[in-house]
């Protein structure tokens, strides 16, 4: 059976959930071969095996962490040439799309992004215009490169060997032009990652201040959720930019999205309207966000949210 | 510094957007057209860099005749001149084809720095900056929330899940920006008047020396098989808080097994 290459997303220790989703998806089309760059593969091996990875192509060089994406694209192009996979799957994240774009040019293949499902013939289902239109599309030239949205596929265990095969690649000078000088990690505590969380609680301008974002965090923690924010909040500096949900922030598609003090501008909706269930707290009954709500409370968030937290804690303790 | 800002004309996100039944490409006539919002941030950053270091901002846009309106707006913000790549043979190009065409023009007009938005609101593929960097063989500084350059070295803050990376390269380079980077200016009356006299060069596929076999719908590496509007969400339950809004919300969450 042909291989399906899956580029692992990880932070050198933990594998991101989306990688298990991709491996689960890959199994339907061939033998999942995970491509791992940098450290951490040995620690991740057993977990990748649990989701049915047949192989792990391991490239350990420091270049992969020292330079922006180009070395990863070079590695994938090399593996496509030597192993002729039936497809290459990547996460539809900023990083995944950038690797995919470069790879598409290198191997002259079509790329489909923001994919939420694949038919047996690799026809991809995509959501465009912020989820308003469903498109079925197909790559007709080269080895299909497909970037899949986190949370679109549910990861399912299956047994695999996950045999580690070291790959030696001399990264070209051309791929070493954008050097990472420093990594600035902004604390997010023990909360789940925004794009991977099954529940997201987001705060908007209605929250009123950076200090009040603690209320959103409290609600999030009571539900084991990730915290998100509208652009009004990140622009005001009340919460770091990487938590922004929307057109120019993260696209999330959790089981439950709770929008607190958010009006529902089109740019915000573009990042959350494919959430399975949506709950809204807003004092303005005319706020457009209510159009998306499965359940909405028209009221002051400073009254509704503390009561909600208290009720949740009562029910879960 | 010779800065080229790539802008795309897109349907206004506020108006209804749809695809054409005939060939599944964007129905550009059906919606109001504007500059892709993020590209205004790219223009602003180009203008600021030129104000600080000297040089020129050239706008480059590939698109139908109508894109001339967006180009004129970019010039009224303060860009110096523009190149409009317009040719029926380009219609329906996918990202691979678009990047081939734009890279070819960039190679012809030359640049120290190319600035783009990191994503367009219509295609939303967000792969063009990476494709251009790859084709041009220059470093890509992506998702920039801050750009600093002395005219030979360039450093940016690259936004990421965990925070950001400080990334450095030497010019020439391709930069893509996030909207956190600046606040785009509005065209002034003077700017609007001046824009009318600024040079806009139109180029065809042949003028630019683009390989016609790489562009257009017929040569696209991806094809749309079908499309459908998503059914609207079912109307939900909305309650007014009468002192029990939080409790009702908790009940809803419990009924859906979230707690
Ligand atoms: C290029 C571009 C990209 C953008 N990208 C994004 C993006 O990625 N993400 C994004 O979110 N936005 C984005 N925006 C901005 C977007 O247009 C809106 O401005 C933004 O989403 C508004 O945020 P908000 O809903 O928090 O604020 P507002 O629109 O001000 O809404 C605040 C809401 O809080 C409610 N409220 C106030 N006080 C209370 C209270 N005490 N209790 C309950 N409710 C209360 C109000 O009724 C109101 O509905 C973008 C804009 C542009 C131009
Ligand atoms: N037809 C085009 N002409 C000029 N620039 C473009 C074009 N399409 C995309 N771009 C640029 O590429 C960026 C990313 O677009 P995309 O990859 O289509 O999401 C945009 O923000 C623009 O700066």
């Amino acid at each position: 059976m042909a291989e399906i290459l899956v580029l692992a997303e990880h932070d050198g220790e933990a594998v991101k959930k989306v990688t298990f989703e991709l491996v689960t998806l890959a199994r339907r089309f061939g033998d999942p071969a995970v491509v791992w760059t940098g450290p951490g593969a040995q620690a991740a091996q057993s977990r990748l095996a649990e989701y049915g990875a047949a192989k792990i192509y391991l490239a350990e060089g420091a270049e992969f962490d020292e330079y922006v994406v180009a070395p990863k694209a070079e590695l994938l192009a090399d593996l496509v040439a030597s192993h002729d996979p039936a497809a290459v799957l990547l996460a539809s994240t900023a990083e995944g799309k950038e690797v995919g774009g470069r790879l598409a040019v290198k191997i002259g293949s079509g790329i489909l992004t923001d994919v939420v499902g694949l038919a047996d013939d690799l026809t991809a289902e995509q959501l465009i215009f912020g989820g308003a239109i469903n498109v079925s599309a197909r790559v007709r030239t080269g080895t299909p490169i497909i970037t899949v949205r986190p949370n679109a596929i549910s990861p399912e265990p299956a047994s695999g060997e996950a045999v580690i095969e070291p790959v030696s690649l001399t990264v070209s000078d051309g791929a070493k032009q954008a050097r990472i000088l420093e990594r600035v990690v902004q604390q997010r505590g023990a909360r789940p990652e925004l794009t991977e969380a099954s529940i997201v609680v987001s705060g908007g301008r209605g929250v009123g201040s950076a200090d009040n974002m603690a209320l959103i965090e409290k609600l999030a923690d009571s539900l084991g959720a990730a915290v998100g924010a509208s652009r009004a909040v990140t622009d005001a500096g009340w919460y770091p930019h990487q938590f922004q949900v929307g057109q120019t922030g993260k696209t999330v598609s959790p089981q439950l999205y709770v929008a607190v003090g958010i009006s529902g501008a089109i740019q915000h909706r573009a990042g959350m309207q494919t959430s399975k269930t949506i709950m809204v707290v807003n004092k303005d009954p005319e706020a457009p966000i209510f159009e998306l709500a499965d359940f909405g409370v028209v009221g002051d968030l400073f009254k509704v949210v503390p009561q909600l937290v208290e009720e949740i804690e009562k029910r879960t303790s | 510094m010779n800065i080229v800002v790539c802008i795309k004309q897109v349907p206004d996100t506020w108006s209804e957007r749809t695809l054409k039944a005939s060939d599944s490409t964007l129905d550009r006539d059906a919606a109001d057209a504007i500059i892709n919002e993020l590209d205004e941030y790219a223009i602003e950053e180009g203008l600021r860099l030129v104000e600080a270091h000297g040089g020129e901002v050239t706008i480059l846009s590939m698109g139908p005749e109508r894109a001339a309106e967006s180009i004129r707006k970019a010039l009224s913000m303060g860009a110096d001149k523009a190149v409009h790549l317009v040719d029926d043979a380009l219609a329906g190009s996918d990202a691979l084809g678009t990047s081939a065409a734009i890279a070819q023009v960039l190679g012809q007009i030359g640049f120290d720095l190319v600035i783009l938005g990191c994503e367009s609101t219509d295609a939303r593929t967000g792969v063009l900056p990476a494709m251009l960097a790859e084709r041009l063989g220059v470093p890509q500084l992506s998702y920039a929330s801050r750009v600093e350059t002395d005219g030979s070295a360039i450093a940016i803050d690259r936004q990421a899940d965990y925070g950001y990376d400080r990334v450095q390269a030497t010019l020439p380079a391709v930069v893509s920006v996030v909207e956190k980077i600046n606040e785009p200016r509005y065209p002034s009356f003077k700017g609007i008047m001046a824009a009318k006299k600024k040079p806009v060069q139109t180029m065809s596929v042949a003028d630019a020396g683009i390989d016609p076999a790489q562009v257009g719908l017929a040569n696209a590496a991806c094809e749309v098989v079908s499309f459908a509007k998503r059914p609207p969400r079912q109307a939900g339950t909305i309650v007014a808080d009468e002192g029990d809004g939080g409790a009702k919300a908790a009940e809803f969450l419990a009924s859906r097994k979230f707690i």
Side-chain angles (χ1 to χ4, degrees), chain A residues 4-314:
Chain A
I4 308 290
L5 295 183
V6 171
L7 182 65
E9 287 215 2
H10 64 89
D11 63 6
E13 290 166 28
V15 193
K16 291 206 188 166
K17 189 172 107 204
V18 65
T19 304
F20 300 126
E21 296 167 5
L22 296 177
V23 173
T24 302
L25 185 62
R27 294 202 311 257
R28 281 179 41 217
F29 305 97
D31 293 326
V34 173
V35 179
W36 191 283
T37 59
Q42 282 75 13
Q45 187 178 20
S46 64
R47 294 223 58 205
L48 289 167
E50 280 168 36
Y51 287 90
K55 273 187 201 162
I56 300 174
Y57 292 122
L58 173 58
E60 285 192 292
E63 298 92 335
F64 297 102
D65 293 322
E66 285 170 358
Y67 302 94
V68 178
V69 313
K72 291 182 185 168
E74 212 162 88
L75 172 66
L76 285 175
D78 188 68
L79 289 168
V80 169
S82 53
H83 295 268
D84 194 24
V88 181
L89 303 186
L90 303 129
S92 214
T93 53
E95 180 93 0
K97 287 185 186 185
E98 193 173 337
V99 176
R102 284 187 171 266
L103 178 64
V105 169
K106 281 184 190 292
I107 66 175
S109 290
I111 176 169
L112 294 170
T113 56
D114 276 316
V115 169
V116 293
L118 285 177
D120 292 340
D121 63 351
L122 282 172
T123 299
E125 190 194 334
Q126 291 171 292
L127 295 175
I128 62 167
F129 300 159
I133 295 186
N134 255 353
V135 174
S136 288
R138 205 166 65 79
V139 170
R140 57 179 185 194
T141 307
T143 306
I145 303 169
I146 293 168
T147 77
V148 182
R149 274 209 192 160
N151 261 340
I153 308 289
S154 41
E156 281 159 28
S159 71
E161 301 284 311
V163 181
I164 293 186
E165 267 186 41
V167 185
S168 64
L169 173 79
T170 312
V171 175
S172 73
D173 288 341
K176 295 197 276 197
Q177 300 187 83
R179 179 189 285 276
I180 299 172
L181 298 177
E182 185 191 354
R183 173 147 301 176
V184 181
V185 178
Q186 286 161 330
Q187 264 308 326
R188 66 154 199 276
R191 295 191 188 93
E193 161 109 27
L194 188 52
T195 51
E196 306 208 324
S198 46
I199 304 181
V200 174
V201 179
S202 289
R205 199 194 309 273
V207 171
S209 70
D211 288 346
N212 289 347
M213 281 300 286
L215 190 58
I216 300 299
E217 292 184 330
K218 220 168 152 195
L219 177 56
D221 291 342
S222 72
L223 289 164
V227 173
S230 74
R231 181 171 166 208
V233 167
T234 57
D235 265 6
W238 299 346
Y239 222 66
H241 181 263
Q242 77 260 31
F243 296 96
Q244 182 174 316
V245 171
Q247 184 192 304
T248 45
K250 300 280 154 53
T251 301
V252 300
S253 198
Q255 296 298 323
L256 172 66
Y257 188 85
V258 184
V260 181
I262 293 177
S263 63
I266 193 121
Q267 294 93 348
H268 187 78
R269 293 157 71 140
M272 48 65 74
Q273 66 182 349
T274 58
S275 304
K276 297 343 168 254
T277 302
I278 295 172
M279 189 163 103
V280 169
V281 181
N282 193 306
K283 68 178 182 190
D284 174 11
E286 303 295 323
I289 190 82
F290 280 115
E291 291 163 20
L292 300 179
D294 294 286
F295 190 85
V297 181
V298 179
D300 184 354
L301 70 92
F302 296 103
K303 299 201 174 103
V304 176
V305 173
Q307 187 179 60
L308 175 57
V309 172
E310 196 181 309
E311 283 290 327
I312 293 170
E313 281 169 355
K314 239 192 268 170

